[in-house]
Amino acid sequence: MDWTDLIDTAFDVAGNSSSSTRAEALRTVEASVAADEKPVASTAGRHPDHFRKGVLVLTTHRLLFLKDGKPPVPVPLSAVTDATVTKSRINGEVLLVVALTGSHRFEDVIKAEVFAEQVRAAARLAREAAQKSQAAAPAAAPSSGADLLDQLERLAALHTAGALTDEEFSRAKQRLIG
């Protein structure tokens, strides 16, 4: 499944046939997609702050709520701690996603139980990936710090020897430091 299929399916479920809205949603998502981010699932639902339904897009990295070309409401999956569904006569199936960034409520969610299970599974995978990268990061940090220090010392030596002007030294140091 690619991004276009995912968004088209969700807008079909939401009952929104506007091709301009779909195209805008696709542009919004594709503009902020990480290099290794992949589409997982989508459904339709309503954010409590909006009257009309929008689209819930689940990726390998985050949950997005898209509606009428507005900026997406992102929820990073590595921060998600729970996703539950309740039923209400007024609001239909309500999906509550609890994350370290806050809780997010979506109402009238189509196939909310299935989608909640997909959110929980994707969040579990995202947390595991984050833990693996954090475990690998401390081992790599000392060598990159030592390399940076060596490069700065070489720059300082070149500057002291007169091979670099003050301006050249400053620019090269800024490039190294970031």
Side-chain angles (χ1 to χ4, degrees), residues 2-175:
D2 68 0
W3 295 106
T4 306
D5 294 338
L6 188 77
I7 289 173
D8 284 347
T9 301
F11 273 103
D12 287 342
V13 170
N16 187 336
S17 61
S18 168
S19 60
S20 63
T21 301
R22 289 175 191 222
E24 181 63 31
L26 183 60
R27 278 192 300 275
T28 300
V29 170
E30 287 180 334
S32 64
V33 170
D36 58 343
E37 188 172 13
K38 305 280 185 250
V40 175
S42 66
T43 192
R46 187 171 47 82
H47 194 276
D49 296 341
H50 304 285
F51 179 71
R52 290 185 24 214
K53 279 191 177 181
V55 175
L56 288 159
V57 176
L58 179 62
T59 74
T60 53
H61 291 60
R62 59 203 167 137
L63 173 65
L64 298 168
F65 177 73
L66 306 168
K67 183 178 171 298
D68 297 338
K70 292 182 170 57
V73 176
V75 180
L77 287 181
S78 59
V80 171
T81 58
D82 197 15
T84 58
V85 176
T86 58
K87 295 182 182 181
S88 155
R89 285 190 294 175
I90 296 171
N91 298 321
E93 291 188 351
V94 177
L95 173 65
L96 181 63
V97 178
V98 179
L100 300 174
T101 56
S103 67
H104 305 271
R105 178 184 167 104
F106 304 98
E107 301 168 345
D108 289 331
V109 177
I110 307 299
K111 296 185 180 178
E113 286 290 345
V114 173
F115 194 73
E117 183 54 42
Q118 291 171 320
V119 169
R120 287 189 289 269
R124 187 173 48 256
L125 291 173
R127 281 192 304 274
E128 288 169 3
Q131 288 171 348
K132 284 179 186 175
S133 68
Q134 286 175 352
S143 65
S144 65
D147 290 344
L148 177 62
L149 185 58
D150 287 343
Q151 291 174 344
L152 286 172
E153 286 174 346
R154 275 187 245 130
L155 276 178
L158 288 170
H159 180 250
T160 303
L164 294 174
T165 66
D166 289 342
E167 186 179 313
E168 291 169 330
F169 173 70
S170 231
R171 277 186 299 192
K173 186 172 75 172
Q174 285 299 334
R175 267 183 287 176

